Amino acid sequence: MNRQNDTRNKVLDVACRLFYSQGFNGTSVRDIAHSANVNVSLIHYYFKSKQGLFESLAVNYFEPYLEILEQEAVSEFQQDVESLLKKILHYKQTHYQLSCLVYRELSLNTVFAREMLVTYIAKENHLFNMILFNKRSKVEVTFREKLCLLQLKGLLNAPFMMPHECKDPFITEASIDHFVEVYSELMMEQKTVQYLSANS
Amino acid sequence: MNRQNDTRNKVLDVACRLFYSQGFNGTSVRDIAHSANVNVSLIHYYFKSKQGLFESLAVNYFEPYLEILEQEAVSEFQQDVESLLKKILHYKQTHYQLSCLVYRELSLNTVFAREMLVTYIAKENHLFNMILFNKRSKVEVTFREKLCLLQLKGLLNAPFMMPHECKDPFITEASIDHFVEVYSELMMEQKTVQYLSANS
């Protein structure tokens, strides 16, 4: 069982790295099998298809990320916004290639992106609307609040949606901590964030 | 001459629309020729290849955009940051599909993106660094300023890098003005922007 999981995770790691560097379309299941040193049929057995592989990667990205937001949304004692932002940024940065991959695929507006990722994005927005504006339904959210959340997400995702701007960062535990520190400090200087902080 | 230009522009318009809705890879020169009601060989004559078509679109996007920044950078009498942000947002929103396309292609990190678009991005950063921090060379820019600019660009590009968040907006002159008004107002409430405003 453990050995199976090891192989599965190894394939996912390799797939993430190749999708990141060569693109989803530029990578074949054969490339992945070769780099992971496993048989192509084994990948088909575990993941069905290349899309199945990407789906598993997306689940791996979104489940723990939404968990962070969920904990904040249901908690009676709300943490300050700064610690929430730091947790999110730390999570995204420790999964740098995966974060870049997911947002790149979302921008493509493919059937796959619409059907699968949009469900996660809807859940993310719902949780953010609860945490930030105390709104439980989509119709209650005003145009202004919608743009406000868009800006917050723009700030949180900028390093991963514009990887060409800070390319191939050499990621160590220390460099992640430094990045999160400076980036979240700059974010907290944003009045929108402070306004959200006062309202939450 | 005018008729040639008309045909050329019509092909570019159709290409932009199809690349936006079907993706660059999902669109063939044949699709474009068919939708624009012109001969395939005419497209090859004007643009050489599908990539040539995209290059013309990128030039159409970046040249007027960088012009806005250039005017600000060389002007002795600097405008306030708010009017600059409004000009940029208005420009991006009136070229909605083109803006989405360019940032999507940039996130793909293809050879084409690296070779062509990165030159424009470097120029954009250089102009922003001049306008915001009064820095003329890349080495003078601090890590903090680099992240600051990344956040500003994250705010300016969020609607176009996350088109799934505000999808298929029905764009009219009035709706663009309203969007620019609310969005830039929210941006101006950001302290980073105000800090930049005070320093410029």
Side-chain angles (χ1 to χ4, degrees):
Chain A
M1 187 61 189
N2 261 343
R3 194 146 161 212
Q4 272 188 21
N5 268 339
D6 283 355
T7 309
R8 213 178 162 275
N9 287 335
K10 188 173 150 201
V11 170
L12 284 172
D13 276 352
V14 168
C16 179
R17 185 164 51 78
L18 292 181
F19 287 161
Y20 171 74
S21 58
Q22 303 174 186
F24 181 74
N25 281 322
T27 307
S28 67
V29 174
R30 197 168 291 273
D31 294 337
I32 298 166
H34 182 256
S35 291
N37 200 21
V38 299
N39 203 293
V40 170
S41 58
L42 194 79
I43 296 187
H44 283 287
Y45 171 73
Y46 280 138
F47 303 100
K48 291 206 176 90
S49 62
K50 193 166 78 163
Q51 184 163 316
L53 255 169
F54 193 93
E55 272 179 40
S56 295
L57 286 172
V59 170
N60 282 1
Y61 175 77
F62 276 109
E63 297 292 342
Y65 167 61
L66 292 176
E67 186 85 8
I68 297 173
L69 292 181
E70 224 151 24
Q71 274 177 6
E72 180 69 20
V74 300
S75 164
E76 283 186 60
F77 309 99
Q78 288 193 332
Q79 310 159 39
D80 55 319
V81 166
E82 189 170 2
S83 79
L84 178 64
L85 296 182
K86 280 185 178 171
K87 268 188 206 160
I88 294 171
L89 286 167
H90 196 274
Y91 178 75
K92 285 177 189 267
Q93 190 72 8
T94 43
H95 300 81
Y96 181 80
Q97 296 192 337
L98 196 49
S99 306
C100 294
L101 256 185
V102 164
Y103 292 107
R104 186 201 291 168
E105 193 65 20
L106 263 169
S107 76
L108 289 176
N109 199 27
T110 54
V111 176
F112 169 55
R114 275 200 300 279
E115 285 178 1
M116 168 150 194
L117 300 182
V118 160
T119 318
Y120 283 120
I121 296 295
K123 192 166 177 195
E124 181 196 20
N125 284 345
H126 175 65
L127 290 168
F128 263 128
N129 286 333
M130 273 175 72
I131 296 169
L132 301 173
F133 313 117
N134 212 15
K135 304 248 164 134
R136 297 195 166 259
S137 120
K138 205 175 163 183
V139 286
E140 290 174 53
V141 180
T142 66
F143 181 60
R144 212 183 152 77
E145 284 166 342
K146 210 182 145 193
L147 292 190
C148 208
L149 178 54
L150 182 63
Q151 293 193 357
L152 185 70
K153 289 171 76 170
L155 289 168
L156 286 169
N157 295 340
F160 316 102
M161 290 191 305
M162 300 190 281
H164 49 280
E165 298 279 351
C166 36
K167 59 175 162 218
D168 296 289
F170 180 66
I171 297 180
T172 62
E173 200 48 54
S175 72
I176 290 176
D177 286 346
H178 181 58
F179 169 84
V180 169
E181 202 55 44
V182 180
Y183 201 86
S184 63
E185 193 189 318
L186 283 168
M187 274 188 77
M188 287 306 290
E189 284 174 12
Q190 317 278 343
K191 258 215 182 138
T192 301
V193 176
Q194 291 176 340
Y195 156 81
L196 294 172
S197 179
N199 277 3
S200 69
Chain B
M1 186 63 189
N2 262 343
R3 193 143 163 216
Q4 272 188 18
N5 269 338
D6 282 355
T7 309
R8 212 179 163 275
N9 288 335
K10 188 172 149 203
V11 171
L12 283 173
D13 276 351
V14 169
C16 180
R17 186 165 50 77
L18 293 181
F19 288 160
Y20 172 73
S21 57
Q22 302 174 185
F24 180 75
N25 281 322
T27 307
S28 67
V29 174
R30 195 167 293 274
D31 293 338
I32 297 165
H34 182 257
S35 291
N37 200 23
V38 299
N39 202 292
V40 170
S41 58
L42 195 79
I43 296 187
H44 283 288
Y45 172 72
Y46 280 139
F47 304 100
K48 292 206 175 91
S49 61
K50 195 167 77 161
Q51 182 162 318
L53 256 169
F54 193 93
E55 273 180 38
S56 294
L57 286 172
V59 169
N60 282 2
Y61 175 78
F62 276 109
E63 296 290 342
Y65 167 61
L66 292 176
E67 187 86 8
I68 298 173
L69 292 182
E70 224 150 25
Q71 274 177 8
E72 180 70 21
V74 300
S75 163
E76 280 186 62
F77 309 99
Q78 289 194 331
Q79 309 161 39
D80 55 320
V81 167
E82 188 169 4
S83 79
L84 178 63
L85 295 183
K86 280 186 177 169
K87 268 188 205 161
I88 295 172
L89 286 167
H90 196 274
Y91 177 75
K92 285 175 189 271
Q93 190 72 7
T94 43
H95 300 81
Y96 181 80
Q97 296 192 338
L98 196 49
S99 306
C100 293
L101 255 185
V102 165
Y103 292 107
R104 186 202 288 168
E105 192 65 22
L106 263 170
S107 75
L108 289 177
N109 199 27
T110 54
V111 176
F112 169 56
R114 275 200 301 277
E115 285 179 359
M116 167 150 194
L117 301 182
V118 161
T119 317
Y120 282 122
I121 296 296
K123 192 167 178 193
E124 182 196 21
N125 286 345
H126 174 66
L127 289 168
F128 264 127
N129 286 332
M130 271 174 73
I131 296 168
L132 302 172
F133 312 116
N134 212 15
K135 304 245 164 138
R136 298 197 163 257
S137 122
K138 205 174 164 184
V139 285
E140 290 175 52
V141 180
T142 65
F143 182 61
R144 212 184 152 81
E145 284 166 343
K146 211 183 143 188
L147 292 189
C148 208
L149 178 54
L150 182 63
Q151 293 193 357
L152 186 71
K153 289 171 77 171
L155 289 168
L156 286 169
N157 294 341
F160 317 101
M161 289 190 305
M162 300 190 282
H164 50 279
E165 298 279 350
C166 36
K167 60 175 163 220
D168 296 290
F170 180 66
I171 296 180
T172 63
E173 200 49 54
S175 72
I176 289 177
D177 286 346
H178 181 60
F179 169 84
V180 169
E181 202 56 45
V182 180
Y183 201 86
S184 63
E185 195 190 319
L186 283 167
M187 273 189 77
M188 286 307 289
E189 283 173 11
Q190 317 279 343
K191 256 213 184 144
T192 302
V193 177
Q194 292 176 340
Y195 155 81
L196 295 173
S197 179
N199 278 1
S200 69

